[in-house]
Amino acid sequence: MAWVAALIGALGFAGCSSGGATTPGHYQYPCNTGTQQQLANPTPNQTGVSTTLGSVTVVAFGNNNLLYTTYAQWIVTLTDNTGMPWTGGPLKLVSDPSGPHPYPSDFYYAS
C-alpha cells in the first residue's frame, strides 16, 4: 500500500484553498495555523496503512493559536502520489493519550 504512505506523507497544512485554487486538493497559498503541527496517526512515512483508515490525526503545539480557535473551519485534503485529492471532514478536537507527544502542550485534531 505504498500509495497510502504517499497519501499520508502529503498531509499537512501546506496549502489553503482560496479563490485562487484551481482544483480541489491543489492549493496555491500557504496556510498559517499559528502553531507547529505534525501527523500523529498514522505517523509520518508509516507504511502498511489501511486504505480504509477512517481518520487522520494531527498533533499541534498549544491552544493559544489560530488552529485551536478555528479548528472546525479547517478541512484536511490529502493528495496521493497520483495527484488525486482525498478530502476529509472538518477537524475536531480528540483525545489521544497514547499518541506522540512532541510538544510541551499537545492538542490533537482528527479529520
Side-chain angles (χ1 to χ4, degrees):
M1 313 239 178
W3 73 270
V4 175
L7 174 97
I8 299 306
L11 174 66
F13 298 103
C16 286
S17 179
S18 110
T22 56
T23 314
H26 295 90
Y27 303 108
Q28 300 174 349
Y29 305 103
C31 285
N32 182 358
T33 63
T35 189
Q36 299 171 17
Q37 69 278 321
Q38 70 179 44
L39 277 169
N41 186 33
T43 58
N45 302 311
Q46 182 175 343
T47 59
V49 178
S50 171
T51 57
T52 59
L53 179 61
S55 70
V56 173
T57 307
V58 294
V59 58
F61 179 28
N63 67 345
N64 187 18
N65 53 62
L66 180 64
L67 179 59
Y68 181 81
T69 59
T70 62
Y71 64 85
Q73 297 173 28
W74 293 82
I75 296 175
V76 174
T77 299
L78 305 176
T79 303
D80 68 19
N81 59 343
T82 68
M84 171 69 92
W86 299 74
T87 303
L91 289 178
K92 60 184 176 194
L93 276 170
V94 295
S95 175
D96 193 355
S98 62
H101 295 283
Y103 309 114
S105 178
D106 298 316
F107 283 78
Y108 296 86
Y109 305 88
S111 174

